[in-house]
Amino acid sequence: MAMEFVACPEACKARLACGHACTRTCHVKSDPDHEMYTCEKPCRKLKKDCSFTAEENNEDHLCKKKCYETCDVCKVEVMKKRQNCIHSQKVPCHVDVNTILCRKNCARLLPCNHHCKKKCHEPCGDCVMLVVKKIPDCNHKVKVPCNKFLDSSMCKAECQRVMSCGHPCQSLCGEPCDPENCNHLMNYADYSPCGHKIALPCKIYQAIRSGDKVDLRVLLKHCKAACKARLECGHECAGTCAACWQGRLHAPCQQRCDKLSICGHVCKEPCNEICPPCEKLCEVRCKHSNCNNKCGMPCTPCKEKCDRKCEHGECTKLCGQVCSIPPCSEPCPKLMECGHPCRGLCNNPCPNVCNICKPDSFPKNLIGDEYEDDVRYVFLFLFLYGGPQLVGNK
């Protein structure tokens, strides 16, 4: 009779490769080396490719899966120090920071004692900081990038050399001196054909001294005598004899126009330009309002009712329209301050004349005789002649 096999009830308690204890009972007859065993306990290992050590025991870096499952790559953001520079950078834990280009500003000192202005991953050199350097040939100072090599052609200062003609060079220091193009003015011994003494550029003066034939047009071209001719506008010409072609064609007048425009304002533009529309505020006004347009623009007609009326009639139009009645030709019904009847017309300003109170100042007609008693007087405002004029009217 065969003997029945009974499993051992004792706990295995073997320590697995993962570090956990086996939870099965004795299984010495089946899978004694735990090759087929699956550990269901929580994994306590660091995540895959984690750069932390187990002793640091940071919970964020520990695997959260079961022991038998494959651990995830550690992606916790950590600050890592680079090995090839002084900078640190925050990267996922599994990433090698030295494999990433450092894009921070370079902190290295160049041989010129200036800090490198490039990015940390770029090769140092080519210092572009502006510095003041002295040019060896002339000792003038210029501001250039630190890595720039200096030569005399870079000098932009005024040349201080004296040319062979005896005049100081008028070019820049970095340019070659050219006495054949010297423009220094020299007094010409003879008179110009226009009758004025002139000064010629050195290059022309030296050519004449060398025996070259004198071109009269060249002499006329360099005459700087003031024209002073009276122009049609009334101003004195401010050009020179040469600029005005010896009086044949004057330079444009540069003085202020000062002409009286039709509106009564003075033009302030240059005399050689066409007078533009007046930009001053319009002075047209009535009893109701003032025009707010510029003087050169048309006025907006007043839309209020015309207030022109007297005991002999009344206008029925708007203020900005032509009146519906002619000016009143009846005698003024008012009394003067002296108590005598007014000698003006109705609805007009009262003239300050009285043949009774002031006979000596009473107006005379064209042949010197006094006007008749039925003559009426009106004021005519003649601005061009300096003020109001008293005129008799039948």
Side-chain angles (χ1 to χ4, degrees):
M1 181 175 177
M3 199 170 190
E4 185 178 357
F5 176 77
V6 179
C8 179
E10 293 291 330
C12 176
K13 293 184 180 180
R15 183 174 295 172
L16 304 175
C18 63
H20 296 127
C22 179
T23 58
R24 295 177 59 186
T25 57
C26 182
H27 52 91
V28 69
K29 295 295 186 180
S30 62
D31 193 20
D33 294 328
H34 300 89
E35 293 177 352
M36 301 177 63
Y37 184 84
T38 301
C39 182
E40 297 285 344
K41 292 184 178 181
C43 180
R44 297 300 297 169
K45 297 190 293 292
L46 293 172
K47 294 178 182 178
K48 185 179 179 181
D49 298 330
C50 182
S51 59
F52 268 54
T53 60
E55 289 77 11
E56 291 175 293
N57 194 25
N58 192 313
E59 290 292 331
D60 294 335
H61 296 264
L62 297 179
C63 180
K64 300 298 189 295
K65 293 185 175 182
K66 291 184 179 181
C67 191
Y68 73 91
E69 294 176 327
T70 303
C71 296
D72 293 330
V73 174
C74 186
K75 297 182 179 180
V76 179
E77 292 284 330
V78 294
M79 187 66 72
K80 291 188 177 182
K81 172 72 173 62
R82 298 177 181 274
Q83 295 179 352
N84 52 2
C85 68
I86 63 172
H87 301 123
S88 298
Q89 185 175 346
K90 183 175 284 189
V91 293
C93 186
H94 71 281
V95 175
D96 183 3
V97 71
N98 296 303
T99 61
I100 303 175
L101 293 177
C102 181
R103 300 190 180 278
K104 293 186 177 182
N105 293 331
C106 182
R108 292 182 285 271
L109 196 65
L110 299 175
C112 59
N113 289 328
H114 296 137
H115 285 283
C116 179
K117 299 297 182 181
K118 295 184 177 181
K119 297 299 180 182
C120 188
H121 70 277
E122 296 175 334
C124 295
D126 299 330
C127 181
V128 295
M129 179 175 287
L130 292 178
V131 295
V132 176
K133 290 187 177 182
K134 185 182 290 186
I135 298 178
D137 296 338
C138 60
N139 290 329
H140 288 136
K141 294 180 180 180
V142 293
K143 183 176 285 188
V144 293
C146 182
N147 64 346
K148 192 77 173 180
F149 178 76
L150 294 181
D151 57 56
S152 58
S153 64
M154 299 175 61
C155 186
K156 302 300 180 183
E158 293 183 1
C159 184
Q160 299 177 346
R161 296 183 289 270
V162 177
M163 297 184 293
S164 58
C165 62
H167 298 129
C169 179
Q170 297 174 332
S171 302
L172 298 179
C173 183
E175 298 175 356
C177 297
D178 187 6
E180 295 183 359
N181 285 319
C182 178
N183 289 313
H184 188 86
L185 294 178
M186 302 183 67
N187 292 327
Y188 183 56
D190 298 327
Y191 282 92
S192 171
C194 59
H196 299 128
K197 279 288 186 179
I198 59 173
L200 295 175
C202 177
K203 57 185 177 183
I204 299 177
Y205 186 84
Q206 296 298 337
I208 294 175
R209 290 189 60 185
S210 300
D212 293 349
K213 187 177 180 180
V214 180
D215 190 341
L216 298 181
R217 291 174 297 179
V218 173
L219 300 180
L220 293 173
K221 180 180 177 182
H222 288 87
C223 182
K224 302 299 181 182
C227 178
K228 294 185 178 181
R230 185 63 59 179
L231 304 177
E232 292 184 4
C233 60
H235 296 132
E236 185 180 275
C237 179
T240 62
C241 181
C244 296
W245 293 76
Q246 285 70 50
R248 297 192 300 273
L249 182 62
H250 292 287
C253 182
Q254 299 297 325
Q255 297 192 45
R256 198 172 69 176
C257 178
D258 285 338
K259 291 179 181 177
L260 192 66
S261 302
I262 192 171
C263 60
H265 295 133
V266 176
C267 178
K268 303 297 183 182
E269 299 299 318
C271 186
N272 61 7
E273 297 183 6
I274 298 175
C275 296
C278 185
E279 294 289 322
K280 292 191 175 182
L281 189 63
C282 181
E283 296 182 359
V284 174
R285 64 198 64 192
C286 64
K287 292 184 178 180
H288 307 111
S289 60
N290 299 339
C291 178
N292 286 326
N293 292 340
K294 291 182 179 179
C295 192
M297 297 175 58
C299 297
T300 303
C302 178
K303 303 297 184 183
E304 302 292 339
K305 186 181 182 306
C306 181
D307 59 357
R308 184 167 170 263
K309 62 180 179 179
C310 65
E311 60 185 33
H312 307 110
E314 180 178 357
C315 179
T316 59
K317 297 290 187 71
L318 298 178
C319 183
Q321 297 175 332
V322 179
C323 287
S324 60
I325 59 173
C328 187
S329 59
E330 297 294 329
C332 179
K334 300 177 183 178
L335 294 177
M336 303 286 289
E337 292 182 358
C338 60
H340 299 115
C342 175
R343 297 298 296 268
L345 295 175
C346 181
N347 219 17
N348 279 354
C350 294
N352 187 21
V353 294
C354 182
N355 197 19
I356 300 174
C357 298
K358 296 183 287 185
D360 295 337
S361 61
F362 199 73
K364 307 290 184 180
N365 60 23
L366 295 178
I367 59 176
D369 298 331
E370 292 184 356
Y371 288 104
E372 298 178 0
D373 290 341
D374 60 345
V375 172
R376 299 293 164 178
Y377 300 93
V378 294
F379 274 112
L380 297 181
F381 289 87
L382 305 178
F383 292 100
L384 296 179
Y385 298 97
Q389 304 292 322
L390 193 62
V391 179
N393 183 26
K394 288 277 187 178

